[in-house]
Amino acid sequence: MYQAELTGVLGTPVAENPTGVMQEAAFAALGLNWRYLTIEVQPEDLGKAMDGVRAMGFQGLNLTIPHKVAVIPFLDKLSREAELIGAVNTVRREGKLLIGENTDGRGFLRGLREDAGVDPRGLNAVLMGAGGAARAIATELILAGLEQLTVVNRSVDRGQKLVEELVEKTGARVRFVEWPSPCLEIGPEVNLLVNATSVGLYPNVEAMPAVELRGASKDIVVCDAVFNPAETMLLRLARAYGLKTLDGLSMLVFQGVIGFEIWTGKAAPEKVMKAALLKEMT
Ligand code: NDP
């Protein structure tokens, strides 16, 4: 009975990754003899690390920067979402097979539904950013039945490439807009605004994406993927206008919740996980 089931995260740098705190709290709350290991792995060692994951029978794994795309050749199968997004942040075991999933966008979506009480079906959304988080969020919003998506990004190439891929793979109504100068003005037709850039991320906590909310609908929901700090300048501004907001902690907690459920097959203790994360981050 001393042998534990193993899960963990591979990345570099990974020391500051808070997911283990959430997962360990959840395992303890359910009395499971499971462990979550936070493991530093250099890019050139990823293949050997994945061999180790197989050899040691890990039940589940998270991948973070810079391994989310590089891990794909070391897996046996991808979920539809991971394939659409082109990146994997969670691996589950099916017998001897390792299956790649992506729970970042699903975590965002679950937070949108459960924390903000919003269903994206039929909505008109503006997404700032075209990196990994934006890819995952855009894909899940489209799969959830969004009416229209506008991707706004600083570098044109990256933004256009994301939009082309989304249109090709999903057939959804998605368009690209280069970030306007001096700022992006949000009009009353927008129902959902999501910051998936890294602007505002610690230590640059005074930075804010160049966006004007004065003309926004009173019913808009303003979301930030940045979770450190939880209250970003963007969310502070939105609240000052009396607008509904959703912070990046929600997405972080729910991607962990989904990972826990995929690995253990049990309902995750969401409140325990969120409390553990909040305690760690304050
Ligand atoms: P990437 O490096 O893949 O993408 C970064 C994005 O931010 C790009 O679109 C980039 O634009 C844009 N950007 C960076 N600096 C600026 C700037 N000064 N002005 C305008 N745009 C800028 O990062 P990720 O997608 O992985 O992460 C993005 C954010 O999401 C991070 O803050 C991360 O912490 C957060 N995140 C949160 C998660 C959660 O669970 N809450 C999960 C995953 C990520 P360009 O293409 O022009 O360079």
Side-chain angles (χ1 to χ4, degrees):
M1 288 310 275
Y2 293 116
Q3 186 188 350
E5 300 292 355
L6 297 179
T7 62
V9 58
L10 310 184
T12 183
V14 79
E16 303 285 319
N17 191 298
T19 303
V21 172
M22 264 194 299
Q23 300 295 2
E24 289 275 342
F27 296 149
L30 269 69
L32 297 174
N33 187 16
W34 287 51
R35 298 286 176 277
Y36 189 100
L37 308 175
T38 300
I39 307 170
E40 182 91 17
V41 173
Q42 298 303 318
E44 62 274 21
D45 294 327
L46 182 61
K48 283 182 265 173
M50 291 306 294
D51 284 345
V53 163
R54 280 182 197 273
M56 288 184 273
F58 269 56
Q59 290 297 339
L61 195 68
N62 287 131
L63 284 309
T64 188
I65 290 171
H67 303 319
K68 287 185 179 185
V69 175
V71 75
I72 291 175
F74 303 109
L75 301 174
D76 300 300
K77 245 165 76 177
L78 296 185
S79 70
R80 176 165 180 245
E81 284 143 319
E83 209 166 301
L84 282 172
I85 295 164
V88 166
N89 79 330
T90 300
V91 175
R92 70 182 164 86
R93 173 178 286 275
E94 211 177 83
K96 285 201 176 302
L97 301 183
L98 295 182
I99 321 285
E101 305 257 359
N102 196 310
T103 63
D104 279 338
R106 278 158 72 190
F108 172 78
L109 206 63
R110 197 148 149 190
L112 189 64
R113 290 192 169 121
E114 293 187 25
D115 288 345
V118 173
D119 184 348
R121 182 166 295 278
L123 299 188
N124 178 354
V126 171
L127 176 66
M128 300 182 282
R135 254 170 195 278
I137 291 170
T139 302
E140 295 296 342
L141 284 174
I142 290 168
L143 293 178
L146 199 75
E147 171 67 21
Q148 183 171 331
L149 178 65
T150 304
V151 174
V152 183
N153 197 50
R154 177 182 61 177
S155 70
V156 173
D157 286 2
R158 205 174 184 191
Q160 267 173 349
K161 185 166 181 286
L162 172 59
V163 169
E164 279 163 19
E165 279 183 36
L166 288 170
V167 171
E168 190 188 310
K169 289 179 178 172
T170 68
R173 286 180 64 195
V174 190
R175 63 181 185 130
F176 172 69
V177 170
E178 185 179 355
W179 212 303
S181 178
C183 69
L184 172 68
E185 294 196 15
I186 303 299
E189 72 287 357
V190 179
N191 312 114
L192 188 64
L193 174 67
V194 185
N195 175 37
T197 74
S198 41
V199 181
L201 181 65
Y202 180 85
N204 301 314
V205 297
E206 298 300 323
M208 194 190 117
V211 60
E212 173 60 76
L213 298 176
R214 197 164 300 165
S217 157
K218 285 291 163 217
D219 298 323
I220 192 175
V221 183
V222 179
C223 313
D224 211 325
V226 172
F227 60 83
N228 183 16
E231 169 141 307
T232 58
M233 289 296 277
L234 173 67
L235 296 190
R236 206 177 297 170
L237 176 73
R239 284 183 198 138
Y241 278 118
L243 306 176
K244 195 176 213 178
T245 60
L246 181 68
D247 66 33
L249 279 181
S250 164
M251 176 174 168
L252 185 65
V253 170
F254 278 115
Q255 63 83 23
V257 162
I258 294 166
F260 181 95
E261 291 175 349
I262 287 174
W263 298 331
T264 67
K266 297 181 189 302
E270 289 175 20
K271 286 191 180 138
V272 170
M273 294 174 81
K274 187 160 193 172
L277 191 68
L278 283 175
K279 187 169 168 229
E280 188 64 18
M281 296 189 65
T282 50

mmCIF file of all heavy atoms in Angstrom, residues 189-216:
data_model
loop_
_atom_site.group_PDB
_atom_site.id
_atom_site.type_symbol
_atom_site.label_atom_id
_atom_site.label_comp_id
_atom_site.label_asym_id
_atom_site.label_seq_id
_atom_site.Cartn_x
_atom_site.Cartn_y
_atom_site.Cartn_z
ATOM 1 N N GLU A 189 -21.549 46.102 -29.793
ATOM 2 C CA GLU A 189 -21.916 44.813 -30.394
ATOM 3 C C GLU A 189 -21.117 43.644 -29.806
ATOM 4 O O GLU A 189 -21.444 42.481 -30.053
ATOM 5 C CB GLU A 189 -21.713 44.864 -31.919
ATOM 6 C CG GLU A 189 -20.267 44.881 -32.411
ATOM 7 C CD GLU A 189 -19.515 46.201 -32.181
ATOM 8 O OE1 GLU A 189 -20.123 47.166 -31.675
ATOM 9 O OE2 GLU A 189 -18.302 46.254 -32.477
ATOM 10 N N VAL A 190 -20.085 43.952 -29.008
ATOM 11 C CA VAL A 190 -19.224 42.888 -28.464
ATOM 12 C C VAL A 190 -19.797 42.381 -27.130
ATOM 13 O O VAL A 190 -20.062 43.163 -26.223
ATOM 14 C CB VAL A 190 -17.781 43.415 -28.251
ATOM 15 C CG1 VAL A 190 -16.885 42.335 -27.668
ATOM 16 C CG2 VAL A 190 -17.218 43.945 -29.566
ATOM 17 N N ASN A 191 -19.979 41.041 -27.023
ATOM 18 C CA ASN A 191 -20.531 40.453 -25.788
ATOM 19 C C ASN A 191 -19.443 39.953 -24.842
ATOM 20 O O ASN A 191 -19.664 39.816 -23.643
ATOM 21 C CB ASN A 191 -21.415 39.240 -26.097
ATOM 22 C CG ASN A 191 -22.403 39.495 -27.197
ATOM 23 O OD1 ASN A 191 -22.321 38.894 -28.259
ATOM 24 N ND2 ASN A 191 -23.330 40.408 -26.964
ATOM 25 N N LEU A 192 -18.266 39.625 -25.434
ATOM 26 C CA LEU A 192 -17.222 38.974 -24.639
ATOM 27 C C LEU A 192 -15.869 39.507 -25.098
ATOM 28 O O LEU A 192 -15.578 39.505 -26.301
ATOM 29 C CB LEU A 192 -17.315 37.465 -24.930
ATOM 30 C CG LEU A 192 -16.487 36.493 -24.119
ATOM 31 C CD1 LEU A 192 -16.924 36.537 -22.659
ATOM 32 C CD2 LEU A 192 -16.691 35.077 -24.673
ATOM 33 N N LEU A 193 -15.042 39.969 -24.138
ATOM 34 C CA LEU A 193 -13.688 40.430 -24.458
ATOM 35 C C LEU A 193 -12.711 39.609 -23.632
ATOM 36 O O LEU A 193 -12.881 39.503 -22.405
ATOM 37 C CB LEU A 193 -13.539 41.924 -24.105
ATOM 38 C CG LEU A 193 -12.127 42.502 -24.251
ATOM 39 C CD1 LEU A 193 -11.679 42.526 -25.714
ATOM 40 C CD2 LEU A 193 -12.050 43.918 -23.670
ATOM 41 N N VAL A 194 -11.715 39.008 -24.303
ATOM 42 C CA VAL A 194 -10.766 38.145 -23.583
ATOM 43 C C VAL A 194 -9.341 38.616 -23.852
ATOM 44 O O VAL A 194 -8.938 38.742 -25.008
ATOM 45 C CB VAL A 194 -10.887 36.671 -24.049
ATOM 46 C CG1 VAL A 194 -9.977 35.777 -23.203
ATOM 47 C CG2 VAL A 194 -12.332 36.187 -23.987
ATOM 48 N N ASN A 195 -8.587 38.862 -22.772
ATOM 49 C CA ASN A 195 -7.165 39.135 -22.942
ATOM 50 C C ASN A 195 -6.391 37.834 -22.816
ATOM 51 O O ASN A 195 -6.312 37.245 -21.733
ATOM 52 C CB ASN A 195 -6.649 40.115 -21.879
ATOM 53 C CG ASN A 195 -5.134 40.287 -21.996
ATOM 54 O OD1 ASN A 195 -4.594 40.300 -23.110
ATOM 55 N ND2 ASN A 195 -4.454 40.403 -20.876
ATOM 56 N N ALA A 196 -5.820 37.372 -23.933
ATOM 57 C CA ALA A 196 -4.958 36.185 -23.902
ATOM 58 C C ALA A 196 -3.545 36.577 -24.321
ATOM 59 O O ALA A 196 -2.780 35.750 -24.798
ATOM 60 C CB ALA A 196 -5.515 35.087 -24.792
ATOM 61 N N THR A 197 -3.198 37.863 -24.162
ATOM 62 C CA THR A 197 -1.802 38.271 -24.300
ATOM 63 C C THR A 197 -1.162 38.136 -22.921
ATOM 64 O O THR A 197 -1.855 37.910 -21.919
ATOM 65 C CB THR A 197 -1.638 39.732 -24.769
ATOM 66 O OG1 THR A 197 -1.959 40.608 -23.678
ATOM 67 C CG2 THR A 197 -2.533 40.048 -25.955
ATOM 68 N N SER A 198 0.163 38.303 -22.874
ATOM 69 C CA SER A 198 0.813 38.259 -21.562
ATOM 70 C C SER A 198 0.970 39.661 -20.974
ATOM 71 O O SER A 198 1.679 39.843 -19.988
ATOM 72 C CB SER A 198 2.158 37.544 -21.679
ATOM 73 O OG SER A 198 2.818 37.950 -22.855
ATOM 74 N N VAL A 199 0.262 40.646 -21.549
ATOM 75 C CA VAL A 199 0.361 42.021 -21.043
ATOM 76 C C VAL A 199 -0.365 42.103 -19.692
ATOM 77 O O VAL A 199 -1.537 41.737 -19.586
ATOM 78 C CB VAL A 199 -0.260 43.026 -22.033
ATOM 79 C CG1 VAL A 199 -0.134 44.444 -21.496
ATOM 80 C CG2 VAL A 199 0.415 42.912 -23.399
ATOM 81 N N GLY A 200 0.388 42.582 -18.679
ATOM 82 C CA GLY A 200 -0.184 42.684 -17.325
ATOM 83 C C GLY A 200 0.328 41.596 -16.402
ATOM 84 O O GLY A 200 0.093 41.629 -15.189
ATOM 85 N N LEU A 201 1.063 40.620 -16.988
ATOM 86 C CA LEU A 201 1.604 39.509 -16.207
ATOM 87 C C LEU A 201 2.734 40.014 -15.297
ATOM 88 O O LEU A 201 3.525 40.863 -15.701
ATOM 89 C CB LEU A 201 2.147 38.455 -17.192
ATOM 90 C CG LEU A 201 2.748 37.177 -16.631
ATOM 91 C CD1 LEU A 201 1.692 36.364 -15.902
ATOM 92 C CD2 LEU A 201 3.344 36.349 -17.774
ATOM 93 N N TYR A 202 2.802 39.483 -14.064
ATOM 94 C CA TYR A 202 3.880 39.788 -13.136
ATOM 95 C C TYR A 202 5.236 39.626 -13.824
ATOM 96 O O TYR A 202 5.410 38.649 -14.546
ATOM 97 C CB TYR A 202 3.795 38.846 -11.928
ATOM 98 C CG TYR A 202 4.857 39.080 -10.900
ATOM 99 C CD1 TYR A 202 4.685 40.040 -9.914
ATOM 100 C CD2 TYR A 202 6.057 38.366 -10.949
ATOM 101 C CE1 TYR A 202 5.673 40.269 -8.973
ATOM 102 C CE2 TYR A 202 7.059 38.602 -10.015
ATOM 103 C CZ TYR A 202 6.860 39.551 -9.032
ATOM 104 O OH TYR A 202 7.838 39.776 -8.119
ATOM 105 N N PRO A 203 6.202 40.500 -13.692
ATOM 106 C CA PRO A 203 6.247 41.657 -12.799
ATOM 107 C C PRO A 203 5.692 42.945 -13.419
ATOM 108 O O PRO A 203 5.686 43.968 -12.746
ATOM 109 C CB PRO A 203 7.739 41.803 -12.505
ATOM 110 C CG PRO A 203 8.401 41.338 -13.767
ATOM 111 C CD PRO A 203 7.504 40.271 -14.351
ATOM 112 N N ASN A 204 5.208 42.900 -14.675
ATOM 113 C CA ASN A 204 4.734 44.135 -15.330
ATOM 114 C C ASN A 204 3.265 44.396 -15.009
ATOM 115 O O ASN A 204 2.437 44.510 -15.918
ATOM 116 C CB ASN A 204 4.977 44.050 -16.842
ATOM 117 C CG ASN A 204 6.443 43.846 -17.166
ATOM 118 O OD1 ASN A 204 7.307 44.528 -16.610
ATOM 119 N ND2 ASN A 204 6.738 42.883 -18.014
ATOM 120 N N VAL A 205 2.966 44.474 -13.734
ATOM 121 C CA VAL A 205 1.567 44.490 -13.300
ATOM 122 C C VAL A 205 0.838 45.807 -13.601
ATOM 123 O O VAL A 205 -0.383 45.869 -13.547
ATOM 124 C CB VAL A 205 1.437 44.171 -11.794
ATOM 125 C CG1 VAL A 205 1.945 42.780 -11.514
ATOM 126 C CG2 VAL A 205 2.190 45.191 -10.951
ATOM 127 N N GLU A 206 1.610 46.857 -13.922
ATOM 128 C CA GLU A 206 0.967 48.140 -14.249
ATOM 129 C C GLU A 206 0.613 48.220 -15.735
ATOM 130 O O GLU A 206 -0.045 49.161 -16.171
ATOM 131 C CB GLU A 206 1.890 49.324 -13.890
ATOM 132 C CG GLU A 206 2.222 49.436 -12.407
ATOM 133 C CD GLU A 206 0.969 49.615 -11.548
ATOM 134 O OE1 GLU A 206 0.037 50.317 -11.985
ATOM 135 O OE2 GLU A 206 0.922 49.033 -10.442
ATOM 136 N N ALA A 207 1.041 47.239 -16.524
ATOM 137 C CA ALA A 207 0.763 47.267 -17.972
ATOM 138 C C ALA A 207 -0.659 46.782 -18.240
ATOM 139 O O ALA A 207 -1.218 45.985 -17.491
ATOM 140 C CB ALA A 207 1.754 46.372 -18.702
ATOM 141 N N MET A 208 -1.209 47.301 -19.348
ATOM 142 C CA MET A 208 -2.569 46.911 -19.722
ATOM 143 C C MET A 208 -2.662 46.863 -21.239
ATOM 144 O O MET A 208 -2.057 47.704 -21.910
ATOM 145 C CB MET A 208 -3.526 47.986 -19.194
ATOM 146 C CG MET A 208 -4.962 47.564 -19.211
ATOM 147 S SD MET A 208 -6.062 48.922 -18.859
ATOM 148 C CE MET A 208 -6.925 48.983 -20.399
ATOM 149 N N PRO A 209 -3.377 45.912 -21.827
ATOM 150 C CA PRO A 209 -3.531 45.927 -23.282
ATOM 151 C C PRO A 209 -4.162 47.253 -23.706
ATOM 152 O O PRO A 209 -5.011 47.787 -22.980
ATOM 153 C CB PRO A 209 -4.484 44.759 -23.564
ATOM 154 C CG PRO A 209 -4.586 43.990 -22.314
ATOM 155 C CD PRO A 209 -4.156 44.847 -21.177
ATOM 156 N N ALA A 210 -3.749 47.781 -24.873
ATOM 157 C CA ALA A 210 -4.268 49.074 -25.336
ATOM 158 C C ALA A 210 -5.703 48.900 -25.832
ATOM 159 O O ALA A 210 -5.945 48.601 -27.003
ATOM 160 C CB ALA A 210 -3.363 49.618 -26.437
ATOM 161 N N VAL A 211 -6.648 49.055 -24.902
ATOM 162 C CA VAL A 211 -8.046 48.838 -25.231
ATOM 163 C C VAL A 211 -8.918 49.892 -24.538
ATOM 164 O O VAL A 211 -8.627 50.298 -23.421
ATOM 165 C CB VAL A 211 -8.473 47.389 -24.843
ATOM 166 C CG1 VAL A 211 -8.295 47.135 -23.372
ATOM 167 C CG2 VAL A 211 -9.873 47.068 -25.273
ATOM 168 N N GLU A 212 -9.941 50.368 -25.251
ATOM 169 C CA GLU A 212 -10.860 51.393 -24.730
ATOM 170 C C GLU A 212 -12.232 50.752 -24.498
ATOM 171 O O GLU A 212 -12.833 50.210 -25.432
ATOM 172 C CB GLU A 212 -10.968 52.536 -25.748
ATOM 173 C CG GLU A 212 -11.991 53.597 -25.436
ATOM 174 C CD GLU A 212 -11.724 54.284 -24.101
ATOM 175 O OE1 GLU A 212 -10.810 55.125 -24.061
ATOM 176 O OE2 GLU A 212 -12.439 53.956 -23.142
ATOM 177 N N LEU A 213 -12.708 50.830 -23.250
ATOM 178 C CA LEU A 213 -13.974 50.159 -22.901
ATOM 179 C C LEU A 213 -15.146 51.131 -22.801
ATOM 180 O O LEU A 213 -16.270 50.711 -22.509
ATOM 181 C CB LEU A 213 -13.826 49.429 -21.561
ATOM 182 C CG LEU A 213 -12.790 48.311 -21.506
ATOM 183 C CD1 LEU A 213 -12.697 47.758 -20.088
ATOM 184 C CD2 LEU A 213 -13.151 47.202 -22.481
ATOM 185 N N ARG A 214 -14.893 52.413 -23.057
ATOM 186 C CA ARG A 214 -15.936 53.435 -22.830
ATOM 187 C C ARG A 214 -17.210 53.140 -23.618
ATOM 188 O O ARG A 214 -18.306 53.353 -23.122
ATOM 189 C CB ARG A 214 -15.381 54.822 -23.199
ATOM 190 C CG ARG A 214 -16.178 55.966 -22.632
ATOM 191 C CD ARG A 214 -15.396 57.248 -22.689
ATOM 192 N NE ARG A 214 -14.150 57.136 -21.924
ATOM 193 C CZ ARG A 214 -13.136 57.968 -22.018
ATOM 194 N NH1 ARG A 214 -13.167 58.964 -22.859
ATOM 195 N NH2 ARG A 214 -12.057 57.809 -21.283
ATOM 196 N N GLY A 215 -17.040 52.620 -24.843
ATOM 197 C CA GLY A 215 -18.217 52.388 -25.693
ATOM 198 C C GLY A 215 -18.800 50.986 -25.563
ATOM 199 O O GLY A 215 -19.687 50.593 -26.330
ATOM 200 N N ALA A 216 -18.280 50.205 -24.606
ATOM 201 C CA ALA A 216 -18.713 48.799 -24.497
ATOM 202 C C ALA A 216 -20.128 48.690 -23.947
ATOM 203 O O ALA A 216 -20.610 49.583 -23.233
ATOM 204 C CB ALA A 216 -17.756 48.044 -23.577
#
